[in-house]
Amino acid sequence: MSYPFFFTWTAQQNAKPLDIRGGEGAWFDTADGARWLDMGSLVFQASLGHGNRRMVHAIKAQAERLALSYPSAVYPEKVALAEKLLAHAPPGFSKVFFTLGGSDATENAIKIARLASGRHKLISRYRSYHGATMGAVSLGGDYRRPPVEPGLAGVVHVDDFAFMARGEKGAKPQSQIPSILELEGPSTVAAVFLESVVGANGALIPPPGYLEEVRAACDAHGVLLVMDEVLAGFGRTGKWFGFEHWPGVVPDLITCGKAITAGYGTLGAVLVHERVARVFETKVLHAGLTFYAHPLAVAAGLEALTIYEEEKLIERAAGLETKLHAGLEGLRAAFPEVVRENRVLGLFSGTDLALEQAAWAKFDAALRRENVLVHVRPHVGTLMLSPPLIIGEDELDEGFRRIHRALGEALA
Ligand code: PLP
């Protein structure tokens, strides 16, 4: 069937859309009458699951109160959301720049870092994704960048995480960033951009000492550290922000998106430390968006954060880590010849599978027949799970039964 709009990241004839009609909790329904179990939070954003009544009411109530705004406006919910975001950031964070999602959070973090530092170069990793817009995609290092190059000038990629390749697991982590900073001339580098925990490129968890080493290299040269928490933030890894797993590593900027509204509104944010924010007291912040802090998105953000707090869902995600890990180890025990490694942090996991391309396609098709939504990433050889933070333990068990059957089918 052909539709009068584009599907993203695919040749149109290969698109495999789901005709989604609603849902409740960890489940969503499609037009063909199927009920899907969401073990992926759609694309990592639906952390409160489907059909959340509090979210719907908050957005409706906001629409009744105030549905239109403009960038220079002040209204109570905008203030409250900024205060709440800063309350969950490390001490010293003092300002929020609102965006419409994760990609433009990256774009505006680039601008803020360049304007504040007066420098232009940016360092990021090959194993990364920071968004689809031109600046953000230039920072990313995966297959999504080369087709749209040339990108932003001044971006330098490093091959950190190579040491995590199979067979080198015991190797001492050593970032290329300190030496690349020296080679590039550190006084030309505005910022290093990192996902605290690598998301779409394979759920890679930094080894002890890694983020500390990068932070120290940035400090040594007055380079800003931007932590991309678009995917890892708001409880996905069992903390408000992923970098909190490495106490002492405090970024200068934090980019947010996705679960900031649990997917119920189009919102992102850049959280800015006072040491950077103060520059803009006198310097013009050359950045802005018509829909900056749109009331409906802000209402969704405020309610989502309030629900995470009141229902202690960040703690819940941390508590369910053991259960998620056990399920994945069950998969490894059942398929020892293909499951290479499980990485788990909170309710986020990456499982490396030794599958041929054809087997990945069979696995994907079998998962669809099982009506279970997960993230299958053949480009890095990884199956990723990121269930909603509200998922029940029995639902996790059911998800694993479906994944087991699908992998069995793919290997048959
Ligand atoms: N940063 C990371 C780590 C992401 O995973 C994503 C999206 O997947 C983005 C940025 C871009 O966010 P968005 O798609 O909301 O623009």
Side-chain angles (χ1 to χ4, degrees), residues 43-44 101-104 106 129-132 195 199-200 228 230-231 257-258:
V43 281
F44 303 100
S103 297
D104 58 329
T106 303
Y129 179 69
H130 296 287
E195 293 167 80
D228 182 336
V230 171
L231 191 150
K258 291 196 188 275

Side-chain angles (χ1 to χ4, degrees), residues 20 72 80 86 91 113 180 196 201 305 314 316 343 348 353 385 399:
I20 184 166
S72 305
L86 294 172
I180 296 289
S196 57
N201 279 279
L305 266 55
I314 312 302
R316 185 165 197 277
R343 297 177 291 279
F348 186 40
L353 298 176
L385 304 182

Side-chain angles (χ1 to χ4, degrees), residues 222-233:
V223 172
L224 299 174
L225 179 59
V226 184
M227 213 59 95
D228 182 336
E229 293 286 343
V230 171
L231 191 150

Side-chain angles (χ1 to χ4, degrees), residues 125 127-130 161 164 193-199 203-207 210-211 225-234 236-237 239-246 249 251 253-255 345 348:
R125 298 184 296 212
R127 286 291 286 265
S128 73
Y129 179 69
H130 296 287
F161 285 109
M164 284 180 128
F193 279 71
L194 300 180
E195 293 167 80
S196 57
V197 174
V198 173
L204 300 175
I205 302 164
Y210 172 82
L211 289 177
L225 179 59
V226 184
M227 213 59 95
D228 182 336
E229 293 286 343
V230 171
L231 191 150
F234 305 103
R236 177 51 52 209
T237 73
K239 303 265 188 200
W240 278 89
F241 296 110
F243 64 79
E244 290 172 42
H245 288 282
W246 297 273
V249 178
L253 305 181
I254 303 167
T255 57
L345 202 54
F348 186 40

Side-chain angles (χ1 to χ4, degrees), residues 274-331:
E274 156 66 12
R275 58 181 168 259
V276 180
R278 76 167 75 100
V279 174
F280 297 101
E281 285 304 315
T282 49
K283 190 169 186 164
V284 175
L285 178 56
H286 287 280
L289 299 155
T290 296
F291 296 126
Y292 185 89
H294 189 283
L296 299 184
V298 164
L302 194 53
E303 188 68 358
L305 266 55
T306 305
I307 297 173
Y308 295 145
E309 289 171 353
E310 288 179 4
E311 299 187 6
K312 300 206 177 332
L313 291 178
I314 312 302
E315 296 83 347
R316 185 165 197 277
L320 283 173
E321 178 180 307
T322 315
K323 171 114 188 136
L324 185 62
H325 195 243
L328 292 167
E329 286 302 312
L331 202 64

